[in-house]
Amino acid sequence: MAFMDNSHSILTNLSRDFLALCQAQVTLLTQNLNAAWVGVYLTEDAPKKSPSTNLIPAYFYPQSNPNLPFLSEQENQVLLLLHGQDQVEQDSSLPHDLETKINRHNQIIMPLLYEEIFMGLLVVRRSESPWNELELSQIEKIATSLAIARSLEKSNSWYQQKLRQLEKFINFQDHKIDNLLHQLRNPLTALRTFAKLLLKRILPEDNNNKVVQNILRESDRLRDLLQQFQQEEKSNSSILELKGGLVSQTNFLLPAQSSRETDLIAIIGNLLDSAIAIAEEKQIKVEGEFGKNPVFVQGNSQAIREVVSNLIDNAIKYTPNGGQVKIELIKKEKYQGIKITDSGYGIPLEDQDHIFERNYRGVQQLGEIPGTGLGLAIVKELVEQMQGQIELISPNELNGTTFVVWWLAS
Ligand code: ADP
């Protein structure tokens, strides 16, 4: 018979859960309904109108009789009639006496159908009394359970396959990132060496001394970020980790959770210098008056620096030439905040709900200012990790944007 052909491929794909369900349903049929023989036949996906005849016995009872999984010629006819096939192959290997015996049984052939997909057949026989209405409806319910279970099993194996593809893709991306990191390291070291050389040649009183120091500091920051990224990769918590079919995401971010105390003034002081230098090119005035006394907040210094520098960079980036950026320290209850105000383009109301989402750029997506839409997402995540808060006001008193970040004061 044609339907026995690829029995191995299907049988080896069956999960233990599905077989356990078959067993439970067959017990119901034999113990409650006195079925003498039960067979569950499965097929590959086939729409109702053109089913495949590739039926493979997946589970049968009793399992001791090796002949029973085969369907008789007559049964195959019934099956094919049910599903509109007209070609029947004769099975000469089926013992003649078995066929006659089978025909004497009260036999039900129930299609396993779920969402119009034909998944196979449930065949039930018993030699005593014919089946009554109630029993038939019970068999129908059992067939439905089997069809649903089979369909779940199929979608599960589809997801497993997709997961394997995803895993391959991630490995490939990891490889690319490794190469990129490797290639970045050399020019970065060169940049730092040149900056150091330059620093030696410039007198401390020279105005450019500060600029070179800033180049050196920023390249150190880049080096630290690269090192941290590589360490995270090594310690096996790379960007995406697939474990037992579960996808868990560990973002590459700075260790913001640290409850260390950090002086905001020291951080802003450094950032202000580079901000003024960058803003000069656009004739933007950057204002920020801070005393000499430290202002301590709870949070990791690298994370705080990342947050403030992103917000200042954005303020300058999204403010047209000749504009203004103000940086202030403010206080409320147990919080210490930093307020960054610009006279720039502002953030439209409809963008404000999404602006902290990864890769969301709102109106600027269509503009000419380059960006990735990652900065604010990182800022928000870091602030939340530090148990801080972030507020957005746009338009502000200068018709631009204001961001306020609050940290727990120490
Ligand atoms: P990027 O600047 O790379 O696009 P961000 O995550 O830093 O990414 O910002 C997301 C979006 O928020 C920007 O594309 C821009 O539309 C808007 N935005 C952020 N800061 C400002 C600002 N100070 N003024 C106006 N728009 C801003």
Side-chain angles (χ1 to χ4, degrees):
M1 272 186 218
F3 55 78
M4 289 302 293
D5 281 351
N6 57 2
S7 53
H8 277 301
S9 65
I10 252 207
L11 285 174
T12 49
N13 281 342
L14 290 178
S15 71
R16 284 165 60 146
D17 290 344
F18 180 76
L19 289 173
L21 184 93
C22 283
Q23 192 176 13
Q25 302 300 302
V26 167
T27 309
L28 269 180
L29 288 165
T30 52
Q31 290 182 359
N32 295 6
L33 305 183
N34 285 333
W37 188 84
V38 183
V40 178
Y41 294 82
L42 295 178
T43 180
E44 297 291 353
D45 282 341
K48 201 175 177 181
K49 288 193 182 104
S50 58
S52 136
T53 47
N54 247 354
L55 278 164
I56 293 120
Y59 194 91
F60 50 93
Y61 171 90
Q63 295 184 333
S64 52
N65 190 337
N67 285 321
L68 283 172
F70 293 87
L71 293 178
S72 72
E73 166 76 8
Q74 187 204 19
E75 286 156 356
N76 208 22
Q77 285 282 10
V78 177
L79 154 70
L80 296 173
L81 254 174
L82 265 171
H83 298 290
Q85 297 275 330
D86 43 13
Q87 284 286 314
V88 182
E89 274 188 53
Q90 189 74 38
D91 179 19
S92 52
S93 66
L94 197 67
H96 190 71
D97 62 329
L98 179 68
E99 230 179 294
T100 12
K101 240 189 269 160
I102 289 170
N103 291 342
R104 276 194 271 110
H105 293 262
N106 294 306
Q107 176 172 281
I108 311 281
I109 298 183
M110 238 356 124
L112 304 181
L113 282 174
Y114 184 63
E115 291 186 339
E116 302 282 293
I117 307 281
F118 175 74
M119 315 246 173
L121 287 177
L122 171 67
V123 183
V124 190
R125 299 173 191 152
R126 76 176 173 200
S127 40
E128 323 143 9
S129 50
W131 305 97
N132 64 34
E133 286 284 313
L134 187 68
E135 288 172 326
L136 282 176
S137 87
Q138 278 179 297
I139 297 175
E140 205 175 315
K141 279 184 192 137
I142 288 175
T144 309
S145 318
L146 288 170
I148 293 172
R150 177 69 180 141
S151 157
L152 284 175
E153 180 166 76
K154 279 187 169 178
S155 38
N156 184 36
S157 71
W158 184 84
Y159 283 118
Q160 291 295 337
Q161 195 193 340
K162 289 280 152 211
L163 209 59
R164 277 194 294 276
Q165 283 172 359
L166 190 65
E167 219 167 351
K168 262 196 194 158
F169 174 72
I170 288 164
N171 281 341
F172 174 69
Q173 292 292 340
D174 271 354
H175 196 69
K176 256 177 44 180
I177 291 173
D178 278 349
N179 287 348
L180 179 71
L181 290 180
H182 190 77
Q183 284 166 25
L184 273 178
R185 224 178 306 138
N186 288 347
L188 190 62
T189 315
L191 204 70
R192 290 181 67 243
T193 318
F194 288 137
K196 277 182 188 163
L197 272 176
L198 209 57
L199 202 61
K200 277 190 195 155
R201 294 180 189 180
I202 294 176
L203 295 172
E205 55 272 21
D206 191 322
N207 274 349
N208 290 323
N209 190 294
K210 232 177 196 175
V211 178
V212 181
Q213 275 186 22
N214 282 339
I215 296 175
L216 201 56
R217 203 192 47 242
E218 292 301 316
S219 46
D220 281 348
R221 210 174 123 205
L222 254 181
R223 184 204 50 192
D224 291 348
L225 279 169
L226 287 180
Q227 265 171 5
Q228 193 193 334
F229 186 86
Q230 276 167 326
Q231 267 162 15
E232 284 212 14
E233 279 221 315
K234 264 197 213 131
S235 66
N236 234 355
S237 58
S238 60
I239 297 178
L240 269 176
E241 199 173 86
L242 296 173
K243 236 185 225 166
L246 269 181
V247 181
S248 78
Q249 189 161 0
T250 60
N251 277 331
F252 162 63
L253 282 180
L254 300 158
Q257 305 91 325
S258 144
S259 58
R260 270 212 349 240
E261 293 190 340
T262 297
D263 176 16
L264 271 184
I265 302 288
I267 290 179
I268 299 172
N270 277 337
L271 290 174
L272 202 62
D273 287 342
S274 19
I276 291 171
I278 296 166
E280 229 169 53
E281 281 182 25
K282 290 176 78 181
Q283 294 94 47
I284 292 173
K285 204 165 129 207
V286 179
E287 294 168 50
E289 278 298 317
F290 312 102
K292 288 251 179 286
N293 295 337
V295 174
F296 287 109
V297 292
Q298 286 177 30
N300 174 278
S301 61
Q302 258 180 290
I304 295 179
R305 162 179 255 282
E306 191 65 28
V307 167
V308 180
S309 114
N310 261 297
L311 295 177
I312 298 180
D313 284 353
N314 275 352
I316 298 172
K317 191 160 95 169
Y318 296 111
T319 296
N321 289 4
Q324 185 187 354
V325 171
K326 267 194 307 186
I327 305 166
E328 299 157 87
L329 284 180
I330 49 176
K331 252 194 102 95
K332 79 167 176 191
E333 298 151 17
K334 52 182 182 173
Y335 290 98
Q336 174 65 56
I338 180 167
K339 184 175 174 188
I340 296 157
T341 306
D342 67 53
S343 63
Y345 305 112
I347 301 179
L349 219 55
E350 60 271 24
D351 283 351
Q352 294 186 14
D353 280 345
H354 304 283
I355 216 70
F356 294 103
E357 291 168 13
R358 283 177 88 81
N359 302 116
Y360 187 87
R361 301 204 65 221
V363 280
Q364 298 299 340
Q365 182 74 41
L366 305 169
E368 288 186 344
I369 302 172
T372 56
L374 286 178
L376 286 183
I378 292 175
V379 164
K380 183 156 189 275
E381 203 166 324
L382 287 172
V383 169
E384 281 171 359
Q385 281 180 30
M386 291 184 277
Q387 270 98 51
Q389 289 163 10
I390 183 158
E391 287 167 18
L392 157 66
I393 304 147
S394 188
N396 59 12
E397 68 275 16
L398 301 177
N399 248 338
T401 305
T402 297
F403 281 98
V404 184
V405 182
W406 298 101
W407 287 273
L408 283 165
S410 5

